[in-house]
Amino acid sequence: MTGAPRELPHPDTADLVLTDVLFALSDPSRLDLVRRLADRPLEGSACQPVNGEIPKSTLSHHLKTLREAGVIRNDPHGRQRLVSLRRQDLESRFPGLITAVVDEPGATPPGPIDL
């Protein structure tokens, strides 16, 4: 199979729905991913196993849920994908929400993650 990596659909900023964003953030694993993405985008290979922390299929599901809610972007980057937090879009649509979620007092600092 040849060709460029497939572009995935992402909702426009104006189409972000608060209940969808809150649902996506309600899962502890997804919330942890968002906190890790707050520092920097992560590169993930479509063919690499996930470091034993979480099954690859579960990680894919979490990333899809976050992407469809508009919390993250998942873009082709060479043979991999670049996953990043849509902080500016979320801040413009729901001021203060992502800052409150990412910078929650008492939250455990995120550790490294391999996508």
Side-chain angles (χ1 to χ4, degrees):
M1 186 170 178
T2 61
R6 186 171 60 106
E7 292 283 336
L8 299 173
H10 297 84
D12 291 330
T13 303
D15 296 332
L16 298 179
V17 177
L18 182 59
T19 53
D20 293 345
V21 171
L22 292 174
F23 172 78
L25 296 172
S26 68
D27 182 273
S29 295
R30 290 193 292 262
L31 183 57
D32 185 50
L33 281 170
V34 168
R35 287 183 174 144
R36 292 169 192 227
L37 289 168
D39 293 331
R40 70 186 191 301
L42 300 172
E43 283 189 27
S45 172
C47 299
Q48 295 295 322
V50 180
N51 219 15
E53 281 183 40
I54 185 171
K56 183 177 175 183
S57 60
T58 303
L59 178 62
S60 294
H61 170 74
H62 288 323
L63 291 173
K64 179 182 177 188
T65 301
L66 289 166
R67 178 182 50 80
E68 289 179 345
V71 177
I72 63 168
R73 287 203 58 82
N74 189 332
D75 294 311
H77 185 69
R79 298 179 106 187
Q80 299 183 343
R81 294 212 164 256
L82 185 65
V83 179
S84 59
L85 180 62
R86 293 180 61 180
R87 184 186 285 266
Q88 190 173 30
D89 293 340
L90 290 163
E91 184 62 29
S92 69
R93 185 82 168 109
F94 311 112
L97 174 67
I98 207 67
T99 300
V101 168
V102 170
D103 300 332
E104 177 187 359
T108 305
I113 185 170
D114 292 327
L115 293 181

